[in-house]
Amino acid sequence: MTDAPRHGGHPSRTASDPAPRTAPPRVRLVDVAREAGLSKTTVSAALNGTGRLSPAVREKARDTARRMGYRPNAAARQLRAGRARLIGYVVGEFAGRPWTYLESPYFAQLTSATAAAALRHGYALVMLPAGSLQGEWADLPFEAVIVADPVADDGVVEDLLAARIPVFSDASVEGRAGAHWVDVDAGAAVRETLDHLRDQGARRTALVLPDSTTRFHRGVLTAYHAWCAAHGDTPRVTLAADIGNGPVVEAVDGALTAAERPDALFVVAELSPPLVLEAARRHGYDVPGDLLVVCASEETTAAYTDPPVSTLSLRPGEVAEAGIELLVAALENGDDEPSGVLVPTRLMVRGSSRRADRG
Amino acid sequence: MTDAPRHGGHPSRTASDPAPRTAPPRVRLVDVAREAGLSKTTVSAALNGTGRLSPAVREKARDTARRMGYRPNAAARQLRAGRARLIGYVVGEFAGRPWTYLESPYFAQLTSATAAAALRHGYALVMLPAGSLQGEWADLPFEAVIVADPVADDGVVEDLLAARIPVFSDASVEGRAGAHWVDVDAGAAVRETLDHLRDQGARRTALVLPDSTTRFHRGVLTAYHAWCAAHGDTPRVTLAADIGNGPVVEAVDGALTAAERPDALFVVAELSPPLVLEAARRHGYDVPGDLLVVCASEETTAAYTDPPVSTLSLRPGEVAEAGIELLVAALENGDDEPSGVLVPTRLMVRGSSRRADRG
DNA sequence: CTGTTAGCGCTTTCAA
DNA sequence: TTGAAAGCGCTAACAG
């Protein structure tokens, strides 16, 4: 018996086909079984640790499999199990520039932490282009798709839900069947930051924010206005026309050159902290003397500037962790019931927002 | 006919099972066929555009499928086709910190560009933790695994090749069966940069580099030494003990406080350009007056500092593009023959390395 | 305690 | 031009 016959309506190589030195066919379960003088079932049970087998047999099966370099065919397993253990990942923001999101430290961390957590639970994460419709990847066997920070007019979530694919996103999907979410407590974060700045003596805190319809950004804006109202302050908001260092620097410039100069700056946009400091310097501010600065940022550069920049961390790692936990639970239960969880942020106070003469 | 019977040795829900309101079973090909009054074969052919069918029938099949929200089962297709169209992606560098690589703008861009290019060719990219052995993901049906910038003592490439999984990496795998590569021309990049600095008047160019065994970093070091030898210059190399802003800032500090002060600095480590400038300032250098600066970096902040920082771009986008092109070609040919391609870098000269009084 | 068998959903011969 | 049937590799039900 030189070779196991592979018949059936299978794509086969004809004799005339040039046949580039192609790898020998993969080792299958039957091959292992035959080699070990056992049956498929036995080997399968041995390898999966199921069934009641004698230790000797189990050992023998495993040995043979290892020796032959057997690797189970995932497609067959998936077909059998009806589950692919594949999760799609797409970022809703940045819809215009499908792949730039990883350049934002927040999304970079969120993405990698999500991939890590997913893998730990036995799911593989597939990166998808932001803002793409399902057209491009409708055929991938996703058990769920994560839509990070969808924008308000984004149809992805609807499309996905309509296609009966469970969606995992932020709190904007709350309550929809098949939709689950994690979110960050934007309101609490804003209040904590503004309170801190006020504690340090700030009375005219300006906010710089991208002009985005993300739930997070809207939440920040709302909370800021509410806080100002509660404290009798005039809101000072500058919207950045777009994301990226350029437009946000412009917005910061705008905020710093306002008729009534601010005495604190809260930047909730991905702008490299050193550049914020540079902008302040450029406009004649001393930080933290005339201007307190807090950036919502995950950049590690913040700790290395002079003065170090206070940051508000949105804790992408925790968000990812909590999210995957929830998603996996929902998936394993086959649960359509919506569910969600809120993750707290963390304010890291550094030199840029601490007055020497204050607590 | 209320429901198609689903029998067979399939995991089925017993009556006593609480049965959380689980979604109705997915629409299968047979369901569409039955609904349309056609056979599986016909519908399959219609949907795939194969076979010779009357336009009317084809239309009808497509219509019905659309109406019913049919989505082909990828696992079944894969099993049939023997191909999963899944590519693994793992970064070799950063083996110690499995997921930090995305925080490097270079890897962020490389990763997203790779995912984009792969998807465009119909392959999904799965993100894997750096430095992980296959143990964690051996069962995923990868048709190939991309190992970005493996370190010298990394076993991943060997393991993968031994498991008969095609590997795509950098030129360090050149010539091994089943291995393909793209790489950046480190030598040319270094020469171009050093020539440029010399043109601008630099005579003591210091190099800052992570202490890494990546092919790229070694190539840079070698080329630097060769260039110094050719020009009769003393090499001035400072190795950063680790990656990340902290250690690299330290290395820059070291380079800038050497007994013989350098008149140019070439930083080939992921350090935020504004921080390089700040370090120079801290040590009393005027840029570009006393010190010319070039950073190998993909950071967009470089363009927004004062002065803007010259950067050497390793062109991750092009690397990804060319790489996937090659990989897909190899995969589609079932080709074991090693192959590779070299991508040129690009030096973007900005204010930090241009003397006012020079070309 | 082990082996035979059916069938997951799909595509592809091959026959009608 | 359309349909019936086989089989991709695997696991689980059921016999032996």
Side-chain angles (χ1 to χ4, degrees), chain B residues 93 149-152 170-172 183-194 207-228 237 239 266 268 296 312 314 342 345:
Chain B
E93 216 185 336
D149 290 76
V151 289
D170 67 14
S172 62
D183 216 329
V184 113
D185 196 340
V190 168
R191 285 188 295 276
E192 183 183 359
T193 306
L194 295 177
L207 174 70
V208 173
L209 194 73
D211 187 7
S212 139
T213 58
T214 270
R215 170 160 176 114
F216 173 71
H217 289 130
R218 289 188 160 175
V220 167
L221 192 58
T222 306
Y224 174 79
H225 276 120
W227 189 93
C228 286
V237 178
L239 258 26
F266 182 22
V268 187
L312 174 71
L314 271 22
L342 215 55
T345 57

Side-chain angles (χ1 to χ4, degrees), chain A residues 9-11 20-24 71-80 86 99 102-103 108-109 111-112 115-116 119 124-129 136-142 163-165 245-246 272 274-275 278 281 300-301 304-306 333-337, chain B residues 9-11 20-24 71-80 86 99 102-103 108-109 111-112 115-116 119 124-129 136-142 163-165 245-246 272 274-275 278 281 300-301 304-306 333-337:
Chain A
H10 204 59
R21 41 208 120 351
T22 183
R71 299 196 319 127
N73 178 316
R77 279 189 158 173
Q78 289 175 11
L79 180 56
R80 188 81 240 285
L86 220 55
W99 288 105
L102 285 185
E103 290 171 53
Q109 291 187 34
T111 304
S112 46
L119 209 59
L125 197 78
V126 175
M127 296 185 45
L128 268 13
E136 308 194 30
W137 39 268
D139 289 356
L140 289 167
F142 294 130
R164 325 192 112 290
I165 301 174
N245 285 306
S272 188
L275 292 186
E278 197 162 302
R281 232 180 269 135
T300 58
T301 53
Y304 297 98
T305 52
D306 177 31
N333 298 337
D335 207 346
D336 234 25
E337 220 42 19
Chain B
H10 204 61
R21 45 208 117 349
T22 182
R71 299 196 318 128
N73 178 317
R77 280 190 156 171
Q78 289 174 12
L79 180 55
R80 190 73 242 283
L86 222 55
W99 289 105
L102 283 186
E103 289 171 54
Q109 291 187 32
T111 304
S112 46
L119 210 58
L125 197 77
V126 175
M127 296 185 46
L128 268 13
E136 310 195 29
W137 38 268
D139 288 356
L140 290 167
F142 295 129
R164 324 192 111 290
I165 301 174
N245 284 304
S272 187
L275 292 187
E278 197 161 302
R281 232 180 267 135
T300 58
T301 54
Y304 297 98
T305 52
D306 178 30
N333 298 336
D335 208 347
D336 235 23
E337 218 46 16

